Amino acid sequence: MTVLSSRPAYPVDPGMVSIALEVAGRLANDASDVIMATAGRGARPADDESPFDWVTDTDHTLERHTRRVLTGEFPDIPVYCENTDVEVRGGSEYRWVVDPVDGTANYTAGMPWCAYSLALVDRWGPVVGVVADPYRAQIYAAARGRGMRANGTPVKLTERQGDSLVVCTEMTRTGPWPGMGSFITTAAVAGTGVRVLGSKALAVAQVALGHVAAAVLHGYHEWDVAGAVALAVESGAVVLDRRGDGALLPVDGLLVAAPDVADEVLGWWQSALSAA
């Protein structure tokens, strides 16, 4: 197995990273305030039939604010957003990726589980990542080689945190992913509960925080998880694709896990996919 956090940190300009981390933190605080002021007060969905595809006024407001600030501070770095852009994994040396409200269905219902996710990414993966968890009044932040912090307090995984009896996963846009039922059953037999809570960013962040053992995502977009993956890598979590290969932002599914349970959860996932 490749343990991602043991790889060398690819160098970046420390001055640029410091500025990016400060700006991203400000944006996360702004987003948290807006989400808490508007959550559960109704939504104006787009034409999509599924509530999981809703785009609210808050999404657009936070996207515009994020773009305005980032283009002012970093005019040469493009900004890609969930609601208006085609996903890009190449091109410029750096790119910003943002999901203004990850967990929109929860947000519109007033369910306390949604997030704002922002990351600065280069060809090796996340350079800076922030995730705002408004309902818990937490801003999680990380930068390559600088560790992870939760409201300014350093966070690092330890072996005991791998003892969690919870694994997170998420549905696809069309429902359960192939083999998801088998995965849940296998985990249950092993004494582990699987939770589907409705935010990919927060699912991965919970691994980084040591609250859950792992997060398994059958599919995702870069803006969904790049900020949280930055947290996970800097906290010491393992990041793998469904084949067990290490990659900062795998294109073939995503497993983020505490190091001492990564092999086991990967085995459950692979067995479930094979059975499907």
Side-chain angles (χ1 to χ4, degrees), residues 80-169:
Y80 296 100
C81 179
E82 175 191 25
N83 302 319
T84 56
D85 294 308
V86 175
E87 188 163 6
V88 175
R89 287 182 179 264
S92 304
E93 180 181 4
Y94 297 103
R95 61 193 178 277
W96 288 101
V97 292
V98 58
D99 189 343
V101 183
D102 182 60
T104 308
N106 290 347
Y107 162 78
T108 58
M111 232 181 112
W113 193 258
C114 62
Y116 170 88
S117 176
L118 175 65
L120 178 67
V121 180
D122 67 8
R123 64 193 176 104
W124 293 294
V127 175
V128 167
V130 296
V131 174
D133 186 350
Y135 283 97
R136 274 149 288 282
Q138 291 283 324
I139 304 296
Y140 311 125
R144 186 179 295 166
R146 299 192 185 189
M148 173 195 168
R149 293 178 180 268
N151 280 3
T153 301
V155 175
K156 198 71 177 175
L157 292 181
T158 63
E159 284 191 11
R160 66 174 179 81
Q161 290 168 304
D163 294 335
S164 170
L165 299 180
V166 174
V167 170
C168 289
T169 191

Side-chain angles (χ1 to χ4, degrees), residues 61 69 71 78 88 90 119 239 256 272:
T61 297
V69 171
T71 54
V88 175
V239 182
V256 181

